[in-house]
Amino acid sequence: MMSPSNLSQLLSNSIVVMVFGSNDYINNYLLPNIYDTSRTYTPDAFANLLLNRYATQIQALYSLGLRKFFLPGLGPLGCIPNQLATGQAPPGRCVDSVNQMLGPFNEGLKRLVGQFNGGSHPGAMFVYGNTYGVFGDIMNNPAGYGFTVRDRACCGIGRNQGQITCLPLATPCFNRDQYVFWDAFHPTQAANGVLAQRAYSGSNNDNFPINVQQLAQTRL
């Protein structure tokens, strides 16, 4: 429906948002009774495996003409109701062992962004989003963001409402904007709003090397 030149211009001005990696941990690496991944790979080796696949996908999109990429890292998965429901953490705490294993992925992704911006992808700009840090702020100071419940889901069943996630016909909480988590895995719309705002206009602590607003204004 577009001429090649108009399509190329559209793609080069578009912003690609790639949210990648959470399910590889939640639905694979952290399920040793189903998958042997955690016995096959150390956390560092698993992170490298994911990042290598990630880089391949980014290269494919770059080859199509996309030039602006926002690549958020992983949030603290040890704090989601699904992981709290395992009972591995004391009350009021996250599962520290899970959060610690995410460091190699996030650090590697930030390095990857630096490499991509260093000349290997001319005419493109890559931004790393510090999801872990922003979500950590929410978890450490929920009241400052208007949240009153951070350790259980708005919709779910079992311990922390995280053993069975939100199902059809389930009754969610009535004050969902006060919850950090919607179900066993996902933040609420209110929490995602905080993440989006910090990605868009946050400081260098939230984004590297620039934020999404600056990315949108960048002429490549």
Side-chain angles (χ1 to χ4, degrees), residues 5-19:
S5 61
N6 286 343
L7 177 59
S8 296
Q9 183 177 13
L10 175 69
L11 292 177
S12 65
N13 289 324
S14 299
I15 294 178
V16 184
V17 181
M18 298 182 71
V19 183

Side-chain angles (χ1 to χ4, degrees), residues 195-217:
L195 293 169
Q197 186 60 50
R198 295 276 288 270
Y200 182 72
S201 58
S203 69
N204 287 341
N205 291 327
D206 298 336
N207 308 282
F208 167 83
I210 58 177
N211 60 36
V212 173
Q213 183 178 27
Q214 294 165 328
L215 177 65
Q217 295 168 347

Side-chain angles (χ1 to χ4, degrees), residues 3-54:
S3 68
S5 61
N6 286 343
L7 177 59
S8 296
Q9 183 177 13
L10 175 69
L11 292 177
S12 65
N13 289 324
S14 299
I15 294 178
V16 184
V17 181
M18 298 182 71
V19 183
F20 178 99
S22 294
N23 286 346
D24 295 283
Y25 285 92
I26 296 170
N27 295 326
N28 190 302
Y29 199 76
L30 295 173
L31 294 176
N33 294 332
I34 301 175
Y35 302 103
D36 65 356
T37 319
S38 60
R39 294 184 292 276
T40 304
Y41 298 96
T42 65
D44 283 41
F46 188 65
N48 286 333
L49 173 68
L50 296 182
L51 290 168
N52 287 335
R53 299 287 180 87
Y54 203 173

Side-chain angles (χ1 to χ4, degrees), residues 54-67 69 121:
Y54 203 173
T56 300
Q57 298 300 326
I58 293 170
Q59 179 61 45
L61 295 176
Y62 176 82
S63 298
L64 291 174
L66 291 155
R67 291 294 181 265
F69 294 81
H121 291 69

